[in-house]
Amino acid sequence: MRLIFILSLGLLISVAYSAFTVDSSALSAFSHFPFLCILALAGMVILPWLADTFRVQIWLRFLDKRERFADVFRMTLATEMASAMSPAAIGGSGAKLGWMISRGIAPGVASSIMALNALEDTVFFVLALPIALLFSPAADDSVVHKILQMLQQRDWVNSRSVAIFVVVAATLYLTGRSVWKLLPPAFKARVNGWSEKFRHQAGLAKQTFRLMIAQGRWRFIVTVFLSGVHWACRFSMLTVLLMGLHHYVDPFNFFASQWLVFMLMKLVPSPGGTGGAELAFLFFYRSLLPEDLLGLLVGAWRVLTFTLPVGLATLLFLTLLRNGKFIDLQSFKITKTVEVV
């Protein structure tokens, strides 16, 4: 029910903005949208799921965890669903971690797989973003270039901000030590037990991470490529959308600017970045996109990158539940359904 509410809220925001800004010419442009572009957008929704499933499957096989592709794919769908119910900065990581732990994988090992997935994304962005800006014919006028200029003109790190940070950190540390001394011994023992378990899992995660890096080099190259497939699809949807409307677009410039939009979304604490995503889109593209299409474009972009993937993942997830298992997205525990004979 909560998922339906979040999807409806995001769709309502997009529709409301579109309704106040749309005109007849914009609707006419969308009415002649090419079928090939529709197929391309549909593929861009599905391919990231397959890429993410293969990424997890590769490392599970490396660690001798023989999970079926269908089970890992259901985990990917559940992760997509969970991303709509948590802030964009967290995404569906809780569902992915809970699924791996429920399959008998130690929390430390599961955490190392997720950390390696994050490293794969980082490596891809470090390689792809400079290349995109290099090949962009309008790099000097790009959104990214303007943002970098704005950051260079401001002194974001000065002595005053550093001093404030040090004072706040020292105050929190001293307050924590004072509160710890006042706690009852039984509670301290329980906390120390939790801390010991956490250190054990952290050590296991560190050991597993080093093993995967040292002995899984070709696998890492493959998973970085799969990460590229995921993000290339997500970041290129706006380009395909504009191409279908016969509007000139620099794909490299828009690829880089989409990365900025998605990063800005992560600063919004609302579930799935609802509201913040639309504002970030308008902030970056108001001066780049046609005014008469802007209202429909922000709605169509949000549907393609959020509402449609989450809604379709939910339908597929429910359809694939034929072996009697389901994932409770509230507690991230896998439970067994009881069949009534």
Side-chain angles (χ1 to χ4, degrees):
M1 194 66 184
R2 183 183 175 188
L3 179 61
I4 296 176
F5 172 77
I6 294 172
L7 291 177
S8 301
L9 179 60
L11 187 60
L12 180 62
I13 292 175
S14 300
V15 170
Y17 182 84
S18 300
F20 283 104
T21 57
V22 70
D23 57 22
S24 58
S25 61
L27 291 175
S28 176
F30 271 91
S31 64
H32 299 91
F33 199 79
F35 183 69
L36 287 179
C37 290
I38 295 177
L39 290 179
L41 291 172
M44 289 179 174
V45 171
I46 298 173
L47 277 178
W49 300 339
L50 298 176
D52 288 350
T53 301
F54 279 119
R55 289 169 67 184
V56 176
Q57 183 87 340
I58 286 172
W59 292 119
L60 288 176
R61 292 295 178 90
F62 174 77
L63 298 172
D64 293 327
K65 307 295 183 180
R66 301 292 174 178
E67 298 293 341
R68 295 189 308 161
F69 180 85
D71 292 333
V72 183
F73 184 66
R74 277 198 294 269
M75 179 272 296
T76 303
L77 296 178
T79 301
E80 185 77 58
M81 295 163 57
S83 66
M85 296 186 291
S86 57
I90 299 175
S93 56
K96 182 182 292 187
L97 181 64
W99 180 87
M100 286 191 281
I101 293 175
S102 71
R103 309 296 286 192
I105 302 173
V109 175
S111 300
S112 65
I113 294 176
M114 296 178 63
L116 197 59
N117 289 160
L119 179 61
E120 293 158 3
D121 293 337
T122 302
V123 170
F124 169 72
F125 289 135
V126 168
L127 296 174
L129 290 176
I131 293 175
L133 294 176
L134 179 65
F135 283 94
S136 174
D140 292 337
D141 297 326
S142 66
V143 174
V144 180
H145 182 74
K146 293 177 181 178
I147 297 299
L148 291 177
Q149 282 186 331
M150 182 184 69
L151 294 177
Q152 291 173 356
Q153 292 172 358
R154 295 178 178 271
D155 183 16
W156 293 99
V157 181
N158 50 43
S159 57
R160 182 179 179 183
S161 60
V162 172
I164 293 175
F165 175 79
V166 171
V167 170
V168 171
T171 302
L172 292 175
Y173 174 75
L174 295 175
T175 303
R177 286 183 61 88
S178 301
V179 172
W180 176 258
K181 293 179 180 180
L182 299 176
L183 294 175
F187 183 80
K188 289 182 180 180
R190 184 178 300 177
V191 172
N192 288 330
W194 293 339
S195 178
E196 183 64 29
K197 292 180 180 179
F198 176 80
R199 284 195 294 267
H200 172 71
Q201 293 300 330
L204 182 60
K206 185 178 180 180
Q207 180 182 0
T208 305
F209 189 83
R210 286 180 175 178
L211 176 66
M212 290 190 292
I213 290 294
Q215 300 183 14
R217 295 177 181 176
W218 70 265
R219 294 177 177 84
F220 183 74
I221 295 174
V222 173
T223 51
V224 169
F225 171 77
L226 292 172
S227 171
V229 172
H230 173 112
W231 292 112
C233 289
R234 291 292 170 94
F235 291 173
S236 299
M237 286 183 174
L238 180 60
T239 299
V240 175
L241 189 62
L242 290 169
M243 289 175 61
L245 297 173
H246 306 289
H247 180 75
Y248 170 77
V249 61
D250 176 5
F252 299 104
N253 185 9
F254 274 75
F255 177 89
S257 62
Q258 280 285 280
W259 176 78
L260 285 172
V261 172
F262 274 74
M263 291 300 103
L264 188 59
M265 283 169 50
K266 294 183 181 295
L267 301 178
V268 180
S270 62
T274 301
E278 292 80 2
L279 291 176
F281 185 93
L282 295 174
F283 173 78
F284 281 108
Y285 297 114
R286 181 180 292 275
S287 61
L288 296 177
L289 298 177
E291 185 66 27
D292 58 335
L293 289 176
L294 188 61
L296 281 178
L297 283 173
V298 65
W301 170 81
R302 186 56 172 162
V303 168
L304 289 170
T305 58
F306 177 73
T307 311
L308 181 60
V310 174
L312 186 58
T314 304
L315 292 176
L316 285 175
F317 182 80
L318 296 175
T319 302
L320 292 174
L321 295 183
R322 297 177 180 175
N323 63 346
K325 291 182 179 180
F326 69 95
I327 295 181
D328 181 2
L329 293 178
Q330 297 293 335
S331 58
F332 301 119
K333 295 179 180 178
I334 292 185
T335 55
K336 199 77 170 171
T337 58
V338 179
E339 295 182 359
V340 180
V341 181

